[in-house]
Amino acid sequence: MNYLQHFDSERVIETCVAGAGDFGRGILRQARQMRALSARIAIDVNPETAAEALRLSGVPNEQITVCHSTNDAQKAWNSGHYLAADSLKTVKELPFDILVESTGIPNIGAHHAETAILAGKHVGIATKETESVVGPYLTRLAEQHDRLFTPLDGDQPSLLIGLVTWAQTLGFEIVAAGKSSEYDFIWDEADGAVWCNGSRYSAQALASLWTLPHEKERDTVQARSEVLAAIPQISVPDLCEMTNVANATGLVPDTAEFHAMVLRTHEVPSLLDLQEFGGVLQGTGRLEVFNCLRRPDEVSFAGGVFVIVRCEDPEAWELLHGKGHVLSRSGKAAMVYLPRHLLGLEAPISLLDAVHKGLPSGGGPATEPHVDLIARTTQAFTPGQRLEMKGHHRHIEGLRPEVHPAAPLSSASPVPFYLLPDAKIVRHVTAGQPITLADITLSDSHLHRLRQAQDTLFFPDRPSFTQQKESSPTPTS
């Protein structure tokens, strides 16, 4: 594709960035270098943080106005200034085309997305936590208002959806698709240790597990995982992103916990194939995450995305193998991959596609609640304990993520993971069981209300569990 021709328009797209973290700052920076995109509005709970993000993107301080009211915002906009605000309410009536929601806070993401759609704006969602709970509903709500709710390039879900649909367009059979975990496992052979995200883990036994003996591949990979058990091999963000891809594409995980194997790049198509061909999968069309094991001088795969396709033409794929493409040992499957994601630096492509072309980077009308990201306990909980979301990875202590078939909220069904922050435990919960609504009380959050609306929309014949009588506008399906 020639992108200059694809976006051949004199119109400048105006965007508002909510969340002045790494992703949001990347968009603010990149817009300064683009003719087709303007990002004059930044929102953060602390407006000074938003103002600092604008300064870091290259905006002179004298061109930035910190706005505390809609009147302040309108005056600053009319003066051609850049705006820093603490609330979407302050700026939502300004003539921007698309909101980027990158706060990373599930409930705030839901509130921002619905508010923007009802104000006539498109929404580019980088808060994957929100999307994992109510993405299908917000997609339909946007359609009802002739707008788009879409994931953004720069994050793995959008990039993977692009790769999957590229393969489908070409008629490939998709064996599996997915991503590598965020941090590579880097083997220091001389030291007998693996480095991951700046931490050292002793792993002397890995030397004998570096290569996979013929017909012992699965056993060797299992042994690697055991040797490296001190390193987290699956994270909530990984499964959250795969939940969003599943709901956009219909691909599903092979197991609720994912296999999450420790693999070198060239091993991926061999292990992520059907069991009859030496892999671990029970069927095709699977979603998966792996942990990339490599030497320091080998190319990183950290956070990259891949698709495993069936090799229907042995001669063609043997030719491609000779050019360095990655085939399985059986020759039955091959991996096509994109070993990067550039966060906000490449997100503008999706923003331009949404506004100029009316094209989502996600599933669009095909998006449905196929699966839910849920939580299984790794410890016992007692009544009165409150669940707290923590850290960069938005984890909740004592809970591990799994991906299960989607179901409406009920006393017996597992609660979506990102409805759980601030929930209060109301009865004894033993280790090893999913958290259900019978175990907790949920706050009357915006995210909760939208999830109830999603359940009504997509599961009209299945009774849902409602703790609140208030309802949210429900778009037609």
Side-chain angles (χ1 to χ4, degrees):
M1 178 189 293
N2 184 320
Y3 284 91
L4 294 176
Q5 292 182 6
H6 184 64
F7 297 123
D8 185 16
S9 173
E10 295 301 315
R11 179 184 173 190
V12 176
I13 302 305
E14 294 284 355
T15 189
C16 168
V17 176
D22 293 339
F23 197 96
R25 287 199 302 270
I27 293 175
L28 295 173
R29 162 61 67 181
Q30 207 62 27
R32 296 279 294 170
Q33 302 173 238
M34 296 175 62
R35 175 186 60 81
L37 184 70
S38 171
R40 286 174 52 196
I41 311 170
I43 301 171
D44 199 89
V45 65
N46 181 348
E48 291 298 335
T49 301
E52 179 63 14
L54 288 167
R55 283 190 285 270
L56 290 172
S57 72
V59 180
N61 191 57
E62 61 271 16
Q63 293 182 20
I64 300 171
T65 299
V66 176
C67 302
H68 300 285
S69 69
T70 55
N71 188 49
D72 290 345
Q74 191 64 61
K75 287 181 179 179
W77 182 269
N78 293 341
S79 299
H81 279 204
Y82 287 75
L83 287 69
D86 66 354
S87 170
L88 179 59
K89 182 179 179 181
T90 303
V91 301
K92 70 176 184 178
E93 301 304 328
L94 296 178
F96 63 89
D97 300 291
I98 187 165
L99 172 76
V100 173
E101 212 313 306
S102 59
T103 63
I105 304 173
N107 189 51
I108 290 177
H111 175 67
H112 281 170
E114 185 188 43
T115 298
I117 290 167
L118 296 180
K121 316 296 186 184
H122 300 284
V123 174
I125 187 75
T127 301
K128 54 184 172 286
E129 298 85 357
T130 297
E131 188 180 3
S132 72
V133 181
V134 293
Y137 174 80
L138 289 169
T139 300
R140 293 296 191 276
L141 183 66
E143 288 173 3
Q144 180 184 341
H145 290 80
D146 197 28
R147 291 295 180 265
L148 290 177
F149 174 86
T150 178
L152 300 173
D153 283 2
D155 265 351
Q156 291 94 333
S158 175
L159 295 172
L160 182 54
I161 292 164
L163 194 55
V164 166
T165 54
W166 169 87
Q168 290 172 328
T169 299
L170 290 172
F172 288 115
E173 177 191 353
I174 295 178
V175 178
K179 59 167 286 190
S180 71
S181 58
E182 292 293 323
Y183 306 109
D184 288 347
F185 292 13
I186 304 171
W187 169 235
D188 184 338
E189 187 172 10
D191 187 32
V194 165
W195 287 82
C196 181
N197 192 25
S199 296
R200 178 189 179 278
Y201 300 86
S202 180
Q204 295 287 347
L206 190 61
S208 63
L209 304 172
W210 183 252
T211 59
L212 303 183
H214 182 58
E215 297 187 347
K216 294 184 178 179
E217 291 91 345
R218 285 175 289 199
D219 291 341
T220 304
V221 169
Q222 177 62 35
R224 281 180 186 166
S225 293
E226 293 168 0
V227 166
L228 299 173
I231 310 177
Q233 294 177 23
I234 197 67
S235 70
V236 185
D238 290 332
L239 267 59
C240 182
E241 290 174 337
M242 293 301 97
T243 295
N244 296 340
V245 174
N247 289 337
T249 65
L251 302 179
V252 294
D254 199 54
T255 176
E257 306 86 8
F258 287 60
H259 293 288
M261 295 175 288
V262 179
L263 299 173
R264 298 170 67 191
T265 296
H266 69 274
E267 298 167 349
V268 175
S270 296
L271 274 296
L272 289 184
D273 200 352
L274 295 174
Q275 294 175 9
E276 64 185 280
F277 299 133
V280 300
L281 302 181
Q282 303 171 71
T284 59
R286 300 303 203 236
L287 283 175
E288 192 52 68
V289 174
F290 81 98
N291 300 284
C292 180
L293 176 66
R294 66 178 178 90
R295 292 189 176 97
D297 60 346
E298 293 179 321
V299 174
S300 172
F301 206 137
V305 297
F306 65 87
V307 61
I308 310 295
V309 299
R310 182 64 67 217
C311 297
E312 299 287 358
D313 184 339
E315 289 187 9
W317 281 106
E318 187 56 37
L319 173 66
L320 292 169
H321 186 221
K323 295 179 179 292
H325 291 272
V326 184
L327 268 64
S328 64
R329 280 187 172 179
S330 69
K332 301 292 186 180
M335 179 171 71
V336 180
Y337 62 105
L338 188 65
R340 55 90 176 145
H341 65 296
L342 302 182
L343 300 176
L345 301 184
E346 61 179 327
I349 293 293
S350 296
L351 302 178
L352 298 181
D353 252 341
V355 181
H356 276 313
K357 303 295 183 179
L359 297 173
S361 295
T367 302
E368 294 187 5
H370 297 294
V371 301
D372 277 323
L373 178 72
I374 67 102
R376 189 178 295 276
T377 59
T378 59
Q379 65 181 50
F381 286 90
T382 57
Q385 286 185 270
R386 194 168 293 277
L387 302 177
E388 183 181 356
M389 185 176 72
K390 298 179 179 179
H392 173 69
H393 280 169
R394 305 290 194 265
H395 71 283
I396 300 175
E397 189 173 348
L399 302 180
R400 78 164 188 259
E402 294 181 1
V403 176
H404 287 236
L409 297 176
S410 73
S411 58
S413 63
V415 181
F417 194 99
Y418 284 110
L419 274 179
L420 293 173
D422 298 323
K424 185 178 180 181
I425 300 291
V426 296
R427 66 179 186 178
H428 289 280
V429 182
T430 59
Q433 71 178 63
I435 295 286
T436 70
L437 275 183
D439 300 320
I440 59 171
T441 55
L442 287 175
S443 61
D444 182 25
S445 68
H446 209 88
L447 187 65
H448 184 196
R449 293 196 296 274
L450 292 191
R451 176 55 187 236
Q452 291 173 324
Q454 176 170 300
D455 289 347
T456 300
L457 177 63
F458 287 98
F459 301 103
D461 299 324
R462 297 171 65 180
S464 63
F465 183 94
T466 48
Q467 294 175 306
Q468 305 293 334
K469 298 298 184 183
E470 299 177 32
S471 62
S472 181
T474 303
T476 57
S477 59

